[in-house]
Amino acid sequence: MSGLIEHGHDLIEHGQLFIGGELTDPAGRDVIEVVSPHTEQVIGRVPHASRADVDKAVAAARASFDSGVWANRTLDERIEVVTRIKDAIAARHEEIARLISAQNGSPSSWSVLAQALGAMMVWDCAITVARDFPYEERRAGVLGPLLV
């Protein structure tokens, strides 16, 4: 998110897609133009992911999962990663809110509260649920105790 947008002065362009942990060139040349509802000017351009790009992203996600890198992480390790994501959002929440306001026209106060800070609350909730969830539960079964 480089180049903050103030009244449509800066054009943010991204020519690549983030797939498999790295920026990659899209399969096609189509772009999505982001138009400011305030100025009706194009304020951003991003690649329009094709079906081939989506298939490549899904295959990369599947390969990453199957390799065990994420699947073999402990709960505490996963919570630590998710916490780092939430902290990165928190550190840039004002910038994120400005970009959201420029994109969708919402007042900046709403973008800060509902979009940027709201996202952090969702991450916090997910972290709390993950930490406190009863992943194993012992129950009485017809033939004896069960582990659910």
Side-chain angles (χ1 to χ4, degrees):
M1 284 186 267
S2 61
L4 295 179
I5 301 169
E6 295 291 337
H7 308 294
H9 292 269
D10 295 334
L11 177 67
I12 297 176
E13 293 189 85
H14 296 284
Q16 295 181 300
L17 300 167
F18 193 72
I19 298 175
E22 58 187 34
L23 291 172
T24 62
D25 291 330
R29 296 185 186 270
D30 291 342
V31 298
I32 298 171
E33 290 191 334
V34 180
V35 176
S36 167
H38 295 295
T39 66
E40 296 184 0
Q41 300 295 312
V42 174
I43 58 173
R45 287 190 185 97
V46 296
H48 186 278
S50 68
R51 181 180 299 258
D53 294 317
V54 173
D55 288 345
K56 184 178 175 182
V58 170
R62 180 83 251 174
S64 178
F65 182 81
D66 290 344
S67 73
V69 172
W70 181 256
N72 291 332
R73 300 249 184 210
T74 67
L75 177 62
D76 287 340
E77 289 171 329
R78 291 178 184 200
I79 288 172
E80 194 273 327
V81 169
V82 172
T83 299
R84 285 196 335 252
I85 293 169
K86 189 231 3 153
D87 291 345
I89 293 169
R92 298 176 69 182
H93 80 274
E94 290 178 357
E95 177 184 5
I96 292 168
R98 281 192 293 274
L99 290 170
I100 290 169
S101 290
Q103 178 184 352
N104 71 15
S106 66
S108 60
S109 60
W110 175 254
S111 293
V112 167
L113 276 175
Q115 305 288 343
L117 296 177
M120 288 185 298
M121 289 188 287
V122 171
W123 284 103
D124 276 333
C125 181
I127 292 165
T128 299
V129 168
R131 188 175 286 126
D132 297 340
F133 189 82
Y135 292 95
E136 291 185 357
E137 183 180 329
R138 299 229 177 251
R139 294 183 185 175
V142 176
L143 300 175
L146 300 173
L147 175 61
V148 178

